[in-house]
Amino acid sequence: MARLRIKDILNTAPTEQTITVKGWVRTFRNNSFIALNDGSTNNNLQVVVDFNNTPETILKRITTGAALSVTGTLIPSLGKGQTVEVKASSVEILGDSDAEKYPLQPKKHSLEFLREIAHLRFRTNTFGAVFRVRNTLAHAIHTFFQERGFVYMHTPIITSSDAEGAGEMFRVTSFDIANPPKDEKGNVDYSQDFFGKSTNLTVSGQLEGELAAMAFSDIYTFGPTFRAENSNTARHLAEFWMIEPEMAFCDLNDNMNVAEEMLQYVIKIALDKNLEDIQFLSQRLEEEEKQKPQNERSELNLLDKLKFCLENKFERVTYTQAIEILRESNHNKKKKFQYLVDKWGVDLQSEHERYLVEKHFKKPVILIDYPKEIKSFYMRQNDDGKTVAAMDILFPGIGEIVGGSQREERLDKLEVRMKEIGIPVEELSWYLDTRRFGSCPHAGFGLGFERLVLFVTGMTNIRDVIPFPRTPKNCEF
Ligand code: ATP
Ligand code: MN
């Protein structure tokens, strides 16, 4: 008999029909009641075993973590918290789980402990909810772009360009690193390496994305990205997933509109498809926040925060305005920032971003027109000679979630800027060809997927929204 998923069973009218269900035991009470879960939902299916007619040898093997196949009849449930249950006629043990040794006991475990057993944490309510939401968001991102005619482009993971400057890179080599070939000067001779040159894992697919946008008009990437930055924060991973749309015939305003529309679209889909999971995560967060002092707790719960994001336009502010707000803030005057904001031109730290979003505007903020010195070479220069057409989207609890810009499409200006900051123009000749042949105004952005998942799930550490996090000194599983 075909297996039914627990999510569907829980929505089926019970008419004593015979069904088969398979899953893992969460708990087994009184030798009678199994809470069975198959990952389709956080809600368990109650299976009632007739212990008088079930062999002792089977009963003993129904332990937390064991995999079962159950056939029985679906009946209305008299118990609290469920409308249906299965009266088992047969219970087959597919895989035993030694209750003494099983690391996931039916009790509350800390997120830190669960990170150490990340291979099993999928089986908890919290991570069940997180990764179902993550799945929905990934699908919704594709749907958003596909519905709008964007072409999904696979940009390379191994690259030889080291000019983007987005972060420290991981080297890719097939050399015996204890004994690499050297040239006459004693330097490592990469011309003898696998690709005949030095290569790295990509920090961004943007430059290649721009090439494709100059043919398809609208493209997006959605792939893994690597940064060897040694920042052990709750918002940085060494391996993360990034979504990078790139759009021809598009300026900074259009760019902001697409990013805002996309974020609202995917959040709405997650609320529609995973409401139960998000409600569960909202409660989890409230519990977690009870540990914090009153003034550090968020004013809105997760559910309300997500709805709030859907109902309000993001605040659009220039970098210059933001610096004024920060400089004049009581926070700055009372020296509550670790990095004080004293002059125009400084880079914003995440404490500043969060102040603007959480304390000042109390909604998502798009900061535009940053000083050119603190942004990348490819961003379009504004007429003031000081700023570039950049945009960062800042979210409550997260800080920067999106970084983007209108790109510099004017060859002369781009080359001058590259020379100014010492980027080898010849090495990026392929990139500059887009400006030589049919250049046009274009723009794009990068959305860090895990930061989005953090926001929608209300988790507080980025290590808890990717299945197997890679961070400094940590690459388990
Ligand atoms: P941050 O200042 O937070 O380090 P960034 O300025 O280095 O970010 P970009 O180079 O603009 O970020 O990358 C685009 C997006 O990728 C960011 O807005 C963020 O959402 C995400 N991102 C960047 N670095 C990481 C990382 N190490 N781990 C997870 N996501 C990241
Ligand atoms: Mn960074």
Side-chain angles (χ1 to χ4, degrees):
M1 183 186 291
R3 168 178 79 96
L4 295 181
R5 285 184 178 268
I6 289 176
K7 187 177 183 192
D8 299 327
I9 295 173
L10 293 175
N11 287 320
T12 302
T15 56
E16 302 202 7
Q17 63 272 53
T18 302
I19 62 160
T20 293
V21 56
K22 301 183 188 191
W24 293 268
V25 177
R26 285 286 173 88
T27 57
F28 185 37
R29 288 186 296 118
N30 302 343
N31 252 351
S32 304
F33 304 105
I34 305 171
L36 197 70
N37 191 283
D38 67 359
S40 59
T41 158
N42 260 353
N43 298 315
N44 301 323
L45 177 66
Q46 172 149 294
V47 175
V48 185
V49 190
D50 176 4
F51 67 85
N52 290 318
N53 293 311
T54 309
E56 182 68 29
T57 47
I58 293 283
L59 288 175
K60 275 210 312 234
R61 293 169 65 197
I62 305 176
T63 53
T64 299
L68 306 187
S69 172
V70 175
T71 299
T73 51
L74 192 65
I75 57 171
S77 176
L78 301 175
K80 272 218 303 265
Q82 71 249 338
T83 53
V84 298
E85 63 187 30
V86 172
K87 193 167 148 223
S89 50
S90 90
V91 174
E92 185 192 345
I93 313 285
L94 300 174
D96 288 287
S97 169
D98 183 339
E100 301 278 290
K101 295 190 182 137
Y102 187 53
L104 271 182
Q105 296 300 319
K107 63 161 197 174
K108 212 170 160 52
H109 293 293
S110 74
L111 294 173
E112 289 77 15
F113 171 73
L114 291 171
R115 242 171 259 153
E116 287 168 23
I117 53 162
H119 58 302
L120 296 172
R121 68 179 178 171
F122 295 125
R123 301 184 188 190
T124 64
N125 282 336
T126 297
F127 290 94
V130 165
F131 290 112
R132 277 188 299 272
V133 171
R134 183 180 166 114
N135 168 64
T136 297
L137 288 170
H139 188 232
I141 282 164
H142 281 294
T143 311
F144 176 85
F145 287 116
Q146 293 293 331
E147 279 178 352
R148 283 159 185 76
F150 283 61
V151 173
Y152 178 30
M153 195 53 61
H154 295 100
T155 50
I157 308 242
I158 301 176
T159 67
S160 61
S161 81
D162 57 359
E164 220 264 335
E168 295 295 309
M169 295 190 284
F170 289 102
R171 187 178 290 288
V172 174
T173 178
S174 63
F175 279 159
D176 167 8
I177 56 165
N179 193 19
K182 304 263 174 74
D183 60 19
E184 317 83 74
K185 288 190 197 140
N187 298 322
V188 175
D189 183 7
Y190 287 106
S191 69
Q192 295 185 51
D193 203 350
F194 189 91
F195 297 105
K197 53 163 80 168
S198 113
T199 48
N200 309 284
L201 291 178
T202 184
V203 292
S204 159
Q206 182 202 316
L207 300 190
E208 291 90 348
E210 282 187 56
L211 312 180
M214 291 301 117
F216 298 101
S217 303
D218 297 310
I219 66 98
Y220 68 106
T221 72
F222 188 167
T225 308
F226 308 87
R227 295 193 186 173
E229 49 196 358
N230 222 334
S231 41
N232 231 326
T233 77
R235 296 171 305 109
H236 287 92
L237 292 162
E239 175 181 296
F240 64 100
W241 288 67
M242 187 143 68
I243 295 104
E244 295 181 280
E246 199 62 44
M247 298 158 282
F249 319 116
C250 176
D251 65 15
L252 191 67
N253 247 324
D254 305 322
N255 202 21
M256 288 192 275
N257 292 342
V258 171
E260 182 168 343
E261 205 188 319
M262 177 202 64
L263 287 166
Q264 291 184 329
Y265 176 94
V266 300
I267 292 169
K268 179 161 190 327
I269 300 248
L271 280 170
D272 287 347
K273 279 203 191 165
N274 294 80
L275 186 60
E276 276 185 350
D277 285 326
I278 292 174
Q279 277 165 339
F280 173 86
L281 291 165
S282 187
Q283 272 165 18
R284 189 209 70 83
L285 185 59
E286 274 177 58
E287 290 296 313
E288 187 185 282
E289 294 218 320
K290 282 188 191 148
Q291 321 288 324
K292 289 192 195 163
Q294 190 78 42
N295 64 338
E296 283 175 31
R297 295 182 200 165
S298 19
E299 288 163 30
L300 297 178
N301 72 22
L302 175 62
L303 214 55
D304 293 334
K305 198 173 70 175
L306 296 177
K307 287 186 186 147
F308 182 81
C309 258
L310 297 184
E311 287 155 10
N312 289 281
K313 291 223 59 93
F314 301 177
E315 191 75 33
R316 298 179 182 191
V317 191
T318 66
Y319 166 91
T320 305
Q321 290 166 326
I323 285 290
E324 264 326 293
I325 292 168
L326 289 166
R327 193 155 51 183
E328 294 306 315
S329 69
N330 277 331
H331 233 69
N332 200 51
K333 289 180 180 157
K334 291 188 184 152
K335 301 198 167 32
K336 280 199 202 156
F337 287 129
Q338 198 186 340
Y339 297 89
L340 292 183
V341 178
D342 49 1
K343 57 176 188 297
W344 193 92
V346 293
D347 205 353
L348 296 183
Q349 304 294 326
S350 118
E351 56 175 346
H352 305 134
E353 297 174 343
R354 292 186 57 176
Y355 177 87
L356 290 169
V357 173
E358 290 159 33
K359 299 272 184 319
H360 190 84
F361 290 108
K362 295 183 191 285
K363 58 167 139 161
V365 171
I366 313 186
L367 279 190
I368 60 167
D369 297 339
Y370 281 76
K372 63 179 181 194
E373 276 74 26
I374 58 172
K375 288 290 180 188
S376 305
F377 75 92
Y378 50 71
M379 297 190 178
R380 192 174 197 278
Q381 297 158 43
N382 289 328
D383 292 340
D384 61 13
K386 288 172 15 189
T387 61
V388 287
M391 62 140 192
D392 280 7
I393 302 186
L394 316 178
F395 261 36
I398 311 274
E400 179 187 334
I401 192 166
V402 163
S405 72
Q406 185 170 342
R407 317 305 188 191
E408 183 55 81
E409 84 281 14
R410 298 161 296 188
L411 181 63
D412 50 336
K413 297 227 179 230
L414 188 54
E415 280 184 337
V416 168
R417 185 70 189 139
M418 289 170 80
K419 282 176 192 146
E420 260 170 28
I421 52 183
I423 292 174
V425 174
E426 313 72 48
E427 255 178 58
L428 281 184
S429 178
W430 51 271
Y431 178 69
L432 293 174
D433 265 0
T434 52
R435 275 62 170 177
R436 290 189 188 104
F437 310 112
S439 191
C440 71
H442 64 289
F445 60 86
L447 164 69
F449 186 53
E450 283 74 19
R451 298 220 181 144
L452 172 66
V453 184
L454 263 183
F455 181 71
V456 179
T457 59
M459 301 300 283
T460 42
N461 193 314
I462 201 163
R463 293 165 180 78
D464 295 330
V465 298
I466 188 163
F468 301 104
R470 274 80 181 91
T471 51
K473 300 284 178 289
N474 169 48
C475 191
E476 293 303 314
F477 311 104

